[in-house]
Each structure stands twice: as C-alpha cells, then as structure tokens.
C-alpha cells in the first residue's frame, strides 16, 4: 500500500493541498520524499478522496437520460436546505445533519463534473444565519466549514468563496485563502461556496464601490448601468459564468432566500421535495432534464 500510495502521490501532486505538499520539504514545492511516514501519517482521508472528479460521460449515456450536451447548464446554483430537519426527524443533532449534507454536497460536485456542468455554487451560510442557535453557529464557523474546505481541496477542482469575510474566524479566513491559492490553476469544475453571503449584501457592496468611483471622479453618474453593476458583483470577479442557468432548492421550500438576487434574474428554478441529505444523482439528472426542456426567452419571444 505504501509503495502504491507513493506512486499515486507523485502523479497527483498538483491536486494536493498546500499543507500536505509542505510536508514533502521545499516549502510547498513538489520535490521531496513521497515515502515519508510523516506524509502518510497526515493523510487524514481515504485514498479515494484524492482522486480527481469524474470528467464527462459518453454521448450514449447522455441520450439514455434524455440529455443533450449542448443544452447543459454552465452554472448550477444550489440552496442546500433541510439539513437540520433531516437530523431532527432522526433524533439527531443539527451538527449531524450538516455532516450528512456535506457528503451530499461532495456528491453534487461529482455529478456536476460528470454531466458537464462548469460551475457549482452553494449557498452555505447566509448573512441571516447568524441568528441561529449559538452552538450551531459556533460549530459551523470553528469546525464544519474548515473541514469541508480541507476535504474539498482534494477533489482537484478550482475553489472560490463569496461573501463578507470580515467577521469570519481568522482560522477559517486563512483556510479559505489557502484553498483559493492552492486550487487556482485547477481545471474542470469550479466550486463556489457562499459564506456569510446575501444577495442584498452583494448588491450593496457593488453600489458602494460604484458610488466611491463617482465621488472620486473615476466615472460619471451617467456611466452607471447594469453592466457596471455586474462588474462589481462578487460573482463577476471570479467566474467565467457568473449568472446561474439553473437554481436547485431542496426541502420543498419555494423561495430563493436572498441568494444571488441580481444574478438569478433569468435563471431557471427547480424545487425538489426532498431534504438536502436525501438528494441523489437521479434527482440531479431530473433537474437537468427539466432545465433542458424549457425555453429560455430572456424577456423576448420565441415561436
């Protein structure tokens, strides 16, 4: 096993988190002793978690599912609702519900990569979620999100984060920075996690930046238009496809809860009557199929 692991790590170095690369020596470079027992001891997850996400399926498999590759959404957004209710129904703590949801979110990354989606954005913690019980918020901010980020860094995808980081714990802010820096050159799926994010917050911060530019004489009042607002939104600064094509919300709730209010203007909405930890690949494929059967008019008219 040790010999196999060493050979595997040599071929997958670019997908390793920086912390593990540093264990090899060279301060984060790729050179070093891959047979080091220190490196093997610090592999905290099963080896399968270091495998890259699946990339693509055959045309035949797409056709069997009634899907067309040219109609695949580029950006899928998810509101992963129902973790706490799932736990409560089973007599478990909210923390156990979030842990179950984390596994499904990892599965969603694999589904997106497999079926050809370019961007997956997840509404992980809203600006309103601070009102939840103190113990739950502490768990999320001091343990859960750090572990989630560390685990997802092993998937070989690019990771980005949107939201107000100013009042996040320093250790979490450092983990987010590390994840973005370590995965910035990865190709394939781009995973975006919204932490302490809200659509109103995003529009407000964009408006403040534009107002500052007007005040400083960089732009004139007449220069302000929707394209300028687009440019100042957090999603536009990090994503090739900033506006979701498809929004999926679980738990049967029929609202968007202050998520990407500007960006969702022409998104297709799909609601699943399941709690998030119950979501599976069949549900995801059904959402893709529903999306592909719709006509997107963007305010125009198609005959």
């Amino acid at each position: 096993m040790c010999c196999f692991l060493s050979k595997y790590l040599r071929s997958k170095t670019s997908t390793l988190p920086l912390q593990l690369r540093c264990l090899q020596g060279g301060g984060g470079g790729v050179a070093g002793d891959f047979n080091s027992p220190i490196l093997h001891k610090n592999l905290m997850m099963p080896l399968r978690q270091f495998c890259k996400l699946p990339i693509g399926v055959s045309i035949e498999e797409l056709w069997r599912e009634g899907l067309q590759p040219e109609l695949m959404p580029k950006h899928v957004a998810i509101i992963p609702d129902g973790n706490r209710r799932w736990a409560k129904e089973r007599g478990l703590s909210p923390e156990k519900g979030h842990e179950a949801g984390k596994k499904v979110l990892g599965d969603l990354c694999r589904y997106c990569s497999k079926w050809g989606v370019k961007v997956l954005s997840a509404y992980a913690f809203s600006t309103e979620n601070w009102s939840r019980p103190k113990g739950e918020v502490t768990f999320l901010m001091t343990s859960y999100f750090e572990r989630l980020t560390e685990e997802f860094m092993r998937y070989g995808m690019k990771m980005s984060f949107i939201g107000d980081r100013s009042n996040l714990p320093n250790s979490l802010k450092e983990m987010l920075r590390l994840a973005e820096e370590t995965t910035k050159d990865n190709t394939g799926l781009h995973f975006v996690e919204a932490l302490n994010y809200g659509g109103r917050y995003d529009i407000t911060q964009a408006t403040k930046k534009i107002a500052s530019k007007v005040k400083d004489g960089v732009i004139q009042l007449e220069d302000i238009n929707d394209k300028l607002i687009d440019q100042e939104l957090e999603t536009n600064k990090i994503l090739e496809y900033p506006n979701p094509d498809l929004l999926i919300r679980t738990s049967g709730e029929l609202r968007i809860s202050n998520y990407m209010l500007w960006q969702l203007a022409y998104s297709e909405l799909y609601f699943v009557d399941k709690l998030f930890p119950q979501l599976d690949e069949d549900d995801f494929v059904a959402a893709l199929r529903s999306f592909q059967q719709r006509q997107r008019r963007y305010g125009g008219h198609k005959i």
Side-chain angles (χ1 to χ4, degrees), residues 84-232:
R84 295 191 300 170
R85 275 172 281 174
W86 178 90
K88 184 176 181 180
E89 288 177 358
R90 289 156 179 79
L92 302 173
S93 66
E95 290 79 7
K96 293 296 184 182
H98 291 304
E99 291 290 350
K102 180 173 65 176
K103 179 184 180 302
V104 174
L105 191 57
D107 291 340
L108 273 176
C109 292
R110 287 184 276 274
Y111 303 156
C112 285
S113 187
K114 172 182 175 180
W115 294 101
V117 175
K118 303 297 183 184
V119 178
L120 172 65
S121 61
Y123 200 13
F125 192 89
S126 76
T127 50
E128 292 78 28
N129 286 155
W130 294 101
S131 63
R132 289 186 175 184
K134 183 177 179 180
E136 181 183 357
V137 172
T138 300
F139 164 75
L140 292 171
M141 288 297 161
T142 61
S143 176
Y144 176 79
F145 287 129
E146 288 188 25
R147 290 203 308 271
L148 183 151
T149 304
E150 184 178 9
E151 290 177 20
F152 279 29
M153 285 167 68
R154 291 159 166 78
Y155 292 168
M157 59 188 176
K158 184 175 181 179
M159 297 180 67
S160 298
F161 303 89
I162 56 176
D164 183 5
R165 302 188 195 187
S166 63
N167 54 351
L168 299 180
N170 289 334
S171 58
L172 178 55
K173 286 191 280 190
E174 176 59 21
M175 178 61 76
L176 304 186
R177 185 202 64 78
L178 179 64
E180 288 177 326
E181 177 64 24
T182 304
T183 66
K184 65 182 180 181
D185 295 324
N186 287 347
T187 57
L189 180 67
H190 190 170
F191 175 70
V192 180
E193 188 172 38
L195 277 174
N196 196 23
Y197 175 87
R200 291 176 177 176
Y201 151 80
D202 203 0
I203 295 171
T204 299
Q205 66 84 27
T207 303
K208 287 180 178 179
K209 290 179 181 178
I210 294 172
S212 179
K213 290 180 179 180
V214 173
K215 179 182 177 182
D216 295 339
V218 178
I219 61 174
Q220 300 300 313
L221 185 63
E222 294 75 18
D223 297 327
I224 300 176
N225 54 33
D226 58 345
K227 291 183 179 179
L228 185 60
I229 296 174
D230 267 335
Q231 293 171 10
E232 296 296 343

Side-chain angles (χ1 to χ4, degrees), residues 70-76 241 243-247 263-269 290-303:
E70 66 274 13
L71 298 180
M72 198 63 65
K74 299 290 192 300
H75 180 170
V76 172
Y241 306 102
N243 300 324
D245 300 296
L246 170 65
L247 170 73
Q263 297 90 329
L264 289 172
Y266 287 103
S267 302
E268 299 296 326
L269 309 183
S290 174
F291 172 83
Q292 293 198 357
Q293 292 170 352
R294 304 181 190 187
Q295 284 192 347
R296 307 187 73 192
R297 300 182 179 87
Y298 300 98
H301 176 70
K302 289 185 179 180
I303 299 176

Side-chain angles (χ1 to χ4, degrees), residues 12 22 24 38 91 107 121 132 203 220 229-230 243 248 254 257 264 270 272 281 285 294:
K12 298 295 183 183
C22 288
Q24 303 164 16
I38 298 177
D107 291 340
S121 61
R132 289 186 175 184
I203 295 171
Q220 300 300 313
I229 296 174
D230 267 335
N243 300 324
I248 301 172
L254 306 179
S257 297
L264 289 172
Y270 185 84
V272 182
E281 188 169 12
V285 172
R294 304 181 190 187

Side-chain angles (χ1 to χ4, degrees), residues 13-60:
T13 302
S14 64
T15 69
L16 288 176
L18 187 58
Q19 304 104 307
L20 296 186
R21 279 189 267 159
C22 288
L23 290 171
Q24 303 164 16
V30 298
D33 181 10
F34 284 94
N35 291 301
S36 167
I38 298 177
L39 177 59
H40 295 166
K41 182 180 179 180
N42 281 274
L43 294 177
M44 297 171 288
M45 299 179 62
L47 180 60
R48 65 180 177 82
Q49 294 288 11
F50 281 89
C51 298
K52 286 191 173 183
L53 297 174
I55 301 177
V57 296
S58 67
I59 294 296
E60 290 76 13

